[in-house]
Amino acid sequence: DAGVTQSPTHLIKTRGQQVTLRCSPISGHKSVSWYQQVLGQGPQFIFQYYEKEERGRGNFPDRFSARQFPNYSSELNVNALLLGDSALYLCASTPWGADNSPLHFGNGTRLTVT
Amino acid sequence: AQSVTQLGSHVSVSEGALVLLRCNYSSSVPPYLFWYVQYPNQGLQLLLKYTSAATLVKGINGFEAEFKKSETSFHLTKPSAHMSDAAEYFCAVSGRRGSNYKLTFGKGTLLTVNP
């Protein structure tokens, strides 16, 4: 089975631009989460989505938004990019439930803002 | 609120030596704890997880960790390091039972294995 897939793998944008990152979860996984990993730091939680609804949001500005589609894939959008948005953006999927199934991460999208 | 502190941003060991990566957590509710490994230019791979069953948890690649509530610790160990273990390791806590949507990660420990 394919793992979590993210596209693109690398992206270079200019300050002020907008970017869309894409994620396809593992087949059968209905929940998708997004994390931001700045160089030298651990990942930080941005969003979780389940059944197209936002189920959790981290401490990120409103420039960050996301959505989930009926096929459970997801997009993360970042508007008005800042230099500080340069990071590895990780998507993770999990079955929804009470068993604390671990997150399965994709390889990420490396965003560079110049 | 939950937080994780990983002691030592960089640990260097010789091949065949004991690996010990330290993690202390803070959680206002009974925690679920995880160790992930990240190889260069890759995402995170789960090594092991503690979810309130046995306090000694065995994971993949010969790693194990012990949950010690009295010390609020969840240190990762491996008896004998291999060159392929060189990577960055992250400890994480999930602070809410029945929902794993938010993991709080430590800053990571870079493990170097010397021949």
Side-chain angles (χ1 to χ4, degrees):
Chain A
D1 282 344
V4 177
T5 57
Q6 294 187 242
S7 63
T9 55
H10 295 82
L11 205 51
I12 300 175
K13 290 286 188 178
T14 304
R15 277 179 297 176
Q17 287 187 316
Q18 175 264 341
V19 68
T20 298
L21 311 180
R22 296 176 175 81
C23 171
S24 293
I26 291 173
S27 178
H29 287 193
K30 299 182 177 181
S31 177
V32 169
S33 299
W34 287 94
Y35 286 76
Q36 181 196 62
Q37 186 179 15
V38 174
L39 195 61
Q41 301 290 323
Q44 276 197 294
F45 173 74
I46 310 175
F47 287 113
Q48 188 199 27
Y49 274 78
Y50 172 68
E51 291 290 1
K52 298 183 290 181
E53 291 188 7
E54 182 182 304
R55 298 303 180 110
R57 184 185 183 107
N59 188 23
F60 280 81
D62 291 344
R63 299 184 296 107
F64 288 77
S65 64
R67 57 179 175 169
Q68 186 178 33
F69 299 97
N71 65 354
Y72 304 110
S73 67
S74 177
E75 286 183 351
L76 175 70
N77 297 286
V78 186
N79 293 322
L81 285 167
L82 304 174
L83 294 179
D85 295 331
S86 295
L88 180 67
Y89 288 84
L90 295 164
C91 175
S93 73
T94 185
W96 182 261
D99 64 353
N100 252 313
S101 298
L103 297 178
H104 298 264
F105 285 86
N107 285 338
T109 293
R110 173 75 63 188
L111 172 65
T112 302
V113 182
T114 62
Chain B
Q2 294 78 40
S3 66
V4 169
T5 301
Q6 292 185 239
L7 301 176
S9 59
H10 187 195
V11 170
S12 183
V13 301
S14 298
E15 191 173 19
L18 171 72
V19 175
L20 171 60
L21 305 182
R22 301 178 185 272
C23 172
N24 288 89
Y25 70 91
S26 172
S27 178
S28 54
V29 297
Y32 287 179
L33 294 157
F34 306 82
W35 275 99
Y36 282 86
V37 61
Q38 186 175 36
Y39 298 99
N41 300 315
Q42 292 189 22
L44 284 79
Q45 180 184 6
L46 179 71
L47 280 176
L48 49 80
K49 63 177 182 178
Y50 166 75
T51 56
S52 76
T55 56
L56 182 62
V57 181
K58 295 187 182 298
I60 63 171
N61 301 338
F63 285 94
E64 63 181 36
E66 186 173 8
F67 172 69
K68 293 186 177 180
K69 183 178 179 180
S70 61
E71 299 177 7
T72 61
S73 69
F74 190 58
H75 302 331
L76 182 71
T77 60
K78 181 174 181 177
S80 177
H82 191 272
M83 297 295 291
S84 62
D85 295 327
E88 188 144 28
Y89 292 79
F90 292 94
C91 181
V93 61
S94 171
R96 181 174 168 182
R97 281 189 181 277
S99 172
N100 62 353
Y101 68 85
K102 180 181 177 181
L103 289 183
T104 300
F105 286 86
K107 292 185 176 182
T109 297
L110 181 64
L111 175 66
T112 301
V113 182
N114 303 306

